[in-house]
């Protein structure tokens, strides 16, 4: 075996490790983003639930009146 062959093998192995690391990091980042989205959605659901159950926020959106055409 030539020294150049050994060096080429080491370079190829290093590139494979780098590629695997990038794939692993990308997978972890995607999972992290899904987890964050899930937590944010849960937080918003919980906030909406608290506001509707303890009466701190109005039941109707701001600016909406409860009149219908029949009542006017």
């Amino acid at each position: 075996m030539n020294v150049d062959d050994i060096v080429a093998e080491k370079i190829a192995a290093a590139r494979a490790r780098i590629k695997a690391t990038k794939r692993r990091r990308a997978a972890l980042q995607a999972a992290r983003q899904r987890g964050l989205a899930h937590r944010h959605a849960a937080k918003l659901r919980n906030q909406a639930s608290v506001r509707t159950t303890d009466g701190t926020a109005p039941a109707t959106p701001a600016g909406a009146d409860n009149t219908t055409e029949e009542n006017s």
Side-chain angles (χ1 to χ4, degrees):
M1 238 181 160
N2 190 346
V3 172
D4 291 334
D5 294 337
I6 295 171
V7 170
E9 286 179 5
K10 288 185 179 186
I11 290 172
R15 285 184 178 153
R17 282 192 308 270
I18 290 169
K19 190 174 181 180
T21 300
K22 285 183 181 181
R23 268 196 319 266
R24 190 169 42 252
R25 285 184 180 177
L28 288 172
Q29 181 64 23
R32 187 177 298 118
Q33 289 301 318
R34 284 191 305 273
L36 283 173
H38 181 72
R39 284 196 302 270
H40 286 281
K43 181 178 179 179
L44 291 175
R45 280 193 307 272
N46 290 339
Q47 286 177 347
S49 173
V50 167
R51 287 184 180 163
T52 57
T53 57
D54 70 359
T56 58
T60 57
D65 58 1
N66 291 329
T67 60
T68 61
E69 293 179 15
E70 297 169 355
N71 292 341
S72 5

